[in-house]
Amino acid sequence: MLHDKTVQALKESNPNALLADGLDDALLGVVTVHTGKEVTQLAAYSVQKVIEVIMRRDDMQYADAEEYASSNIFNAHGENLPVYIDELRHINMTWLGMKVRPEDMYEF
């Protein structure tokens, strides 16, 4: 239900805003972006949740899912594309009986 409300609000504020296909579970909300004199609303997704979705959906290990997302999702260029927010939190892999800690994902 939250996803539907977020998508509806986004489409009302920016009908040209694009959503990431197959990543509904990673949608956080809508972000307002100021670029010069323009203000626009874009879809905002969680980096960690995107990786979690890819791991589950495509049966990938963390490193492979992160590489795939970095190459094919996070580095896309163009107008009205989603933004990806790094929540600096654990990757939830409880379905595998483990979690990836932030210190495993980042160089601190």
Side-chain angles (χ1 to χ4, degrees):
M1 173 114 74
L2 178 60
H3 175 270
D4 295 339
K5 289 181 181 181
T6 301
V7 171
Q8 181 180 348
L10 180 61
K11 291 301 178 183
E12 288 174 6
S13 63
N14 180 4
N16 296 318
L18 300 172
L19 298 170
D21 290 335
L23 297 174
D24 294 354
D25 291 342
L27 183 63
L28 293 175
V30 176
V31 62
T32 300
V33 178
H34 299 266
T35 55
K37 294 181 179 180
E38 294 184 27
V39 177
T40 190
Q41 284 72 37
L42 302 172
Y45 291 83
S46 163
V47 167
Q48 286 75 18
K49 289 180 183 178
V50 166
I51 294 170
E52 290 170 12
V53 167
I54 293 168
M55 288 174 69
R56 278 193 310 263
R57 181 188 69 199
D58 300 337
D59 194 27
M60 286 188 183
Q61 296 294 316
Y62 168 77
D64 295 330
E66 192 277 330
E67 181 179 337
Y68 176 86
S70 293
S71 298
N72 298 293
I73 299 171
F74 303 146
N75 290 324
H77 300 285
E79 293 185 24
N80 295 303
L81 291 175
V83 297
Y84 297 92
I85 299 170
D86 190 334
E87 296 182 273
L88 296 173
R89 66 167 183 81
H90 293 337
I91 296 286
N92 181 5
M93 296 192 309
T94 52
W95 72 93
L96 296 174
M98 64 176 137
K99 286 192 177 204
V100 175
R101 301 173 310 223
E103 56 268 24
D104 297 332
M105 299 167 17
Y106 303 99
E107 294 181 21
F108 288 103

